[in-house]
Amino acid sequence: MGFYLAQLLTGLANASSLFLIASGLSIIFGVTRIVNFAHGSFYMLGAYLAYTLVTTLNGGILGYWFSVLVAALIVGGIGLLVELTILRRIYRAPELFQLVATFGVVLIVQDATLAIWGAEDLLGPRAPGLDRAVRLMGEPIPEYDLALIAIGPAVLAAIWLLFHRTRWGILVRAATQDREMVGALGVNQAWLFSAAFVLGSALAGLGGALQIPREAVSLQMDLSIIGEAFVVVVIGGMGSVTGAFVAAVLISVLNAFAILIFPQISIVLPFVVMAVVLIVRPYGLFGRPGSEHGGAEEPEQPLRLLDQKSTMVLLALVAVLGFSPAVVSDFTTILLVDVMVATLFAVSLHFMMGIGGMVSFGHAAYFGVGAYAAAMAVKLLGWGMLPAMALGPIAAALAAIFFGWFCVRLSGVYLAMLTMAAAQILWGVTFQWQDVTGGDDGILGVWPAKWAASDRVFFYVAFILCLGGIWVLRRVAHSPFGYTLRGIRDSRIRAEAIGVDTRFHQWMGFTLAGTLAGMAGAVFVFSKGSVFPDALSIGHSIDGLIMVLLGGIHALGGPVYGAMAMVLIEDWVSRLDYWRFIFGGIILTVVLLAPDGIAGGVRRLGQLVRRDAA
C-alpha cells in the first residue's frame, strides 16, 4: 500500500510542475488566442536563470526561494519584451501566423541559451530545508515533492483570487469569453494582452525554476515539456485554469501508475487520454463551445485561375526545373528532390488548412505512414520500387480515413490537437514495434530500383510524382468539391442550410490531403534510403506548418514559396554556428515585414512594380 501511495504522491508532484506551465499557456491563449510554442522556452529560461541565481547567491532557504521568484519575474519581463517587440505588431495577422513568430522565438532562445550557459547539462542544488525524505507507510517521500504538491493548489488559489477579486482578473475572464466585446466596451486590449502574456510567461518561468532540484537543466527542456503542456490545456479546456489543474493531475497520476502496469504506453499516454476526452467531450473537460476559435477574420477573396501570362511563366519555371539536372551538380539535384518532396508535403497540408479550414498539428503522420509502408513493402515483402511507392499513398489514405473520421467532428485548436494525438500515437507504435518497424533504429537500405539508381533518373521520378500530386491538389482546389470545402470553411452553418454534408466533404478533403502527404513520404524514403520514427514526429508536423504559414496560407502558391524557403535556408544556415539563431531571425524578419506570408509580400512587390511601370 505504501508503494502505491508513493507513486500517487510522485504523480501529484509532477502534476504541480505541469500545471504551472499549462496554466500560463492557458491564460495566454484565452486572452490573446496565440498558440504560443515559445512557452517551453520560457520554462527553460526559468530553470537556467534560477540555477544561476541560486548557485551565485547561495543564501540558504531565503536565498533559494528569492532566486526562484526573481527568475520567474525576469522570465515575465522577457515575455513582455517578446510581446511588445514581435507579437503586438502582428495581432492583426491571421492568428495561426503568430505561431510562426513564436517558433522563431524558440529557435533564437535555443541558441542564445547555448551561447550563455553552454551545451552541458547543469545539476542544480537541492532546496535548503527540503533536501531530505520522510517516510509515509514505510516508503521514502522527498520533502521537496511534498512542497510541490502544496505549491500547485496554492498557485491555483492565487490565480482564482486574482481572476475573481480584481478588476483586471474580471477583464481577463471577459476577454477569454468574448474578446471583441471587451474591446467594444473601451478596454485597452493592448494593455490587457501584455499583462496576460507577462503573467503566463512568469508562471512558465516559475515552473522551470522549481524543477532545478528534480532534474538536470538542459537545452532539451523546452521541447520536452511543450507538447505535454498543450495536451493538459486542451484536456482541461482552452482558457480554463481550473481545467488545466484537473487535467495535469489526471495525466500525471495516470502516467505514474501506467509505468508500473504497461511501461511502453507512457510515451503516448497523455495523447491517448486527450484523444478520448476530445472524442467524448469536444471542448475539453471545462471548456465551452467556441473556446477553440479566436475572433472572426476577414473573408478571403475568391480563388482565381492564372491568367495566360502567369501560366506561361509557371510553365517556364517548371521547364527550367525539369532541365536542371543537366546543368547542376549531383548535390544540387539531390537538394532539388528534397525541395519537391517538402513542397508536395506543404501543399497537401495547405489543402487541408487553407482550402478545407482544418488546422493540423499532426500532418506528418500520413507522410510517415506513406514512408514506412513503402519501406516495409521493400524490406518485408520484397516488392519493387514502383509497387512500394504505390502502396505508400494507399496506406496513408487508409490512416487518414480512420483518423479523419474522428478529427472532422471537431474544429479549431481542438481539431488540431486531435491530429497531433493521432500522429503521436502512430509515432509511438513505430518507435516501440521493434520487430516490424525497426523501432528507434528505423528501416535501412530502401534504395531505388537499378534503373532509377542514378541521381538524375530518380530526380525525374520525384519530378513526375511530386509535381503531379501538386497539380492534382490545385485542380481539386478549383473544382466544385474545392469550392464546397471553402464554403464550409467560411460558414459551416450556411453550407448545412443549403444541404451540404459538411462532415463528409471535410472527411474526404482530409483523406485526399493525407493521401498526397503519403506520396511525398514514399518518394522521401527512396531518396534517403531509410526512414526513422522522426518522419511521424510532432517536429516534422511543425515544419510543415511553418512552410505553409511562412509562405502564406491565403495563397495557393504560399506553400510552394514556404517549402522552397524552408529547405534552402535550412540547408544554408545549418552549416553555420548558432544556425538556429540565424534561422529564427530570418523567420521573424519575414513575419514582421510580410504578415500575410512570402506570397503576400511577392504580390505586393509585383503590384508596386506594375504601378511604377505605369
Side-chain angles (χ1 to χ4, degrees), residues 24 38 105 115 144-145 174 184 188 199 203 273 275 286 313 332 341 344 353 375 378 467 474 478 535 542 551 596:
V105 173
Y144 193 75
D145 281 6
N188 187 334
L199 176 60
L203 286 170
V273 174
F286 291 81
V313 172
T332 304
V341 169
L344 178 56
M353 293 175 57
V378 172
L467 268 68
R474 182 175 178 83
H478 285 288
I542 299 304
D596 48 355

Side-chain angles (χ1 to χ4, degrees), residues 169-429:
I170 293 172
L171 291 176
V172 169
R173 290 167 55 211
T176 300
Q177 297 181 23
D178 194 335
R179 190 173 68 180
E180 284 69 34
M181 182 58 71
V182 170
L185 293 175
V187 175
N188 187 334
Q189 287 194 345
W191 172 80
L192 193 64
F193 287 7
S194 298
F197 207 89
V198 169
L199 176 60
S201 302
L203 286 170
L206 178 62
L210 289 172
Q211 283 298 101
I212 60 173
R214 304 186 79 219
E215 64 175 291
V217 181
S218 70
L219 295 171
Q220 289 74 44
M221 291 181 73
D222 54 350
L223 298 181
S224 66
I225 193 68
I226 189 62
E228 203 164 348
F230 271 115
V231 167
V232 166
V233 170
V234 170
I235 291 175
M238 302 299 290
S240 172
V241 176
T242 303
F245 180 80
V246 173
V249 172
L250 175 66
I251 290 296
S252 299
V253 171
L254 283 177
N255 206 39
F257 287 100
I259 291 176
L260 303 177
I261 301 170
F262 188 21
Q264 291 82 0
I265 202 175
S266 61
I267 60 175
V268 297
L269 180 63
F271 296 92
V272 172
V273 174
M274 180 178 70
V276 171
V277 168
L278 289 180
I279 291 170
V280 175
R281 187 173 172 80
Y283 305 108
L285 298 177
F286 291 81
R288 300 178 181 178
S291 61
E292 75 278 21
H293 296 292
E297 294 186 7
E298 291 292 327
E300 293 183 33
Q301 296 296 317
L303 291 177
R304 291 183 176 87
L305 292 171
L306 293 177
D307 57 29
Q308 186 176 4
K309 183 178 179 180
S310 299
T311 302
M312 295 299 294
V313 172
L314 178 62
L315 290 176
L317 291 174
V318 171
V320 170
L321 177 63
F323 285 110
S324 60
V327 296
V328 300
S329 66
D330 290 342
F331 173 80
T332 304
T333 301
I334 295 171
L335 183 62
L336 289 175
V337 172
D338 292 344
V339 171
M340 289 188 290
V341 169
T343 301
L344 178 56
F345 178 55
V347 170
S348 68
L349 178 57
H350 177 268
F351 182 84
M352 184 185 295
M353 293 175 57
I355 305 299
M358 297 172 286
V359 181
S360 175
F361 289 172
H363 199 57
Y366 313 106
F367 180 95
V369 167
Y372 267 96
M376 288 189 289
V378 172
K379 302 300 288 187
L380 301 181
L381 303 178
W383 289 14
M385 183 185 76
L386 293 182
M389 278 188 166
L391 180 63
I394 293 173
L398 294 175
I401 287 173
F402 176 76
F403 289 111
W405 190 86
F406 296 100
C407 291
V408 298
R409 281 155 172 73
L410 306 178
S411 61
V413 175
Y414 294 118
L415 186 156
M417 292 302 295
L418 189 56
T419 62
M420 179 188 284
Q424 195 68 1
I425 290 168
L426 288 172
W427 173 85
V429 171

Side-chain angles (χ1 to χ4, degrees), residues 426-450:
L426 288 172
W427 173 85
V429 171
T430 58
F431 188 83
Q432 301 275 10
W433 203 0
Q434 184 77 32
D435 295 337
V436 176
T437 65
D440 194 28
D441 296 328
I443 299 177
L444 308 177
V446 187
W447 297 110
K450 290 183 179 180

Side-chain angles (χ1 to χ4, degrees), residues 317 550-552 555 557-558 560-562 565 590 593-610:
L317 291 174
L550 194 65
V560 179
Y561 288 117
V590 174
L593 295 181
D596 48 355
I598 298 174
V602 171
R603 185 182 63 253
R604 290 196 305 275
L605 180 62
Q607 292 172 349
L608 182 62
V609 170
R610 286 193 295 270

Side-chain angles (χ1 to χ4, degrees), residues 45-60 62-75 117 122 124-125 205 209 212 217:
L45 285 175
Y48 272 102
L49 288 168
Y51 171 86
T52 300
L53 291 170
V54 168
T55 54
T56 301
L57 295 179
N58 196 21
L62 291 179
Y64 176 85
W65 291 106
F66 174 79
S67 299
V68 167
L69 293 176
V70 169
L73 292 175
I74 294 174
V75 173
W117 283 282
L122 304 177
I212 60 173
V217 181

